[in-house]
Amino acid sequence: MPVFALVDCNNFYASCEKLFDPKLKDRPVVVLSNNDGCVVARSAEVKALGIPMGVPWFKLRDEAKRYGIVAFSSNYSLYADLSNRVVEVLSMFSPNIEVYSIDESFLDLSGFERVGYQAYGAEIRQRVADWLGLAVCVGIGSSKTLAKLANHAAKKNLAGKEGVCDFTTMMPAALDALFGRIEVGEVWGV
């Protein structure tokens, strides 16, 4: 039976910016589109303030001052470099890796059953955090679609633990109940 893991970096662009300034650790951070037009990435702190993706920066300036939001112009060279480093680390965990987007990769975990997928996912998370300073969530499933859904469940703390959700060990009734709580458009960003 095939088994896939989807490893997704949390708040990737904002997390990349925070890496280089420890004073930003708990600060709200946004990354702006080309020409600083609108918000294309938000840190967890900004999401908690209820600020939506895509809001024009000029409309956010007053809130930014009130909440101490730090804004960065997009730095795609930095994001690509860190993405490549994440992929290098992930390639140590599986010989078969598919880069899905700048902050997401699928790993084929077929043949790794003996390791225990939950523990393996935790090891992946820890290695990326230790070596690169970035947080990731890991979703594990018997298809790429299920791995993507499991990753979403891990990110939203709907299932799994400590940022790892393994659908291969969940009972069908538990999966049915979980699927009823997942907003599909939210998973694929539509």
Side-chain angles (χ1 to χ4, degrees):
M1 174 174 91
V3 176
F4 299 94
L6 177 66
V7 180
D8 185 1
C9 299
N10 299 347
N11 311 312
F12 185 59
Y13 291 177
S15 295
C16 290
E17 297 294 350
K18 286 184 169 200
L19 272 179
F20 296 97
D21 189 348
K23 292 180 279 186
L24 296 176
K25 183 177 182 294
D26 296 316
R27 296 275 310 272
V29 169
V30 296
V31 175
L32 304 173
S33 63
N34 295 342
N35 298 319
D36 296 341
C38 61
V39 173
V40 295
R42 304 164 295 158
S43 68
E45 298 83 4
V46 172
K47 290 177 183 179
L49 292 171
I51 294 170
M53 184 73 99
V55 66
W57 176 240
F58 77 90
K59 289 185 176 181
L60 187 60
R61 283 201 174 114
D62 291 339
E63 278 185 281
K65 287 178 186 168
R66 182 178 21 205
Y67 295 117
I69 297 171
V70 179
F72 287 92
S73 297
S74 299
N75 184 344
Y76 297 113
S77 297
L78 170 68
Y79 312 144
D81 180 65
L82 284 165
S83 175
N84 290 334
R85 292 172 192 230
V86 170
V87 170
E88 275 185 55
V89 172
L90 296 180
S91 69
M92 297 174 191
F93 290 92
S94 174
N96 298 315
I97 185 169
E98 176 187 338
V99 176
Y100 183 62
S101 69
I102 194 164
D103 67 338
E104 299 174 281
S105 293
F106 286 104
L107 283 67
D108 184 344
L109 298 185
S110 303
F112 287 86
E113 297 83 17
R114 70 194 181 297
V115 181
Y117 299 128
Q118 184 75 30
Y120 207 50
E123 187 178 338
I124 291 168
R125 272 179 56 87
Q126 194 62 54
R127 178 86 49 91
V128 173
D130 289 348
W131 288 18
L132 302 176
L134 294 170
V136 300
C137 284
V138 180
I140 301 163
S142 58
S143 69
K144 291 177 182 175
T145 300
L146 289 174
K148 178 90 170 157
L149 287 168
N151 184 282
H152 179 77
K155 261 189 200 299
K156 300 294 184 181
N157 295 311
L158 299 173
K161 62 180 183 175
E162 298 174 10
V164 179
C165 180
D166 178 6
F167 276 3
T168 67
T169 60
M170 292 179 74
M171 300 301 289
L175 283 173
D176 284 346
L178 178 62
F179 290 153
R181 296 172 38 211
I182 292 176
E183 291 288 330
V184 175
E186 201 174 278
V187 176
W188 279 275
V190 290

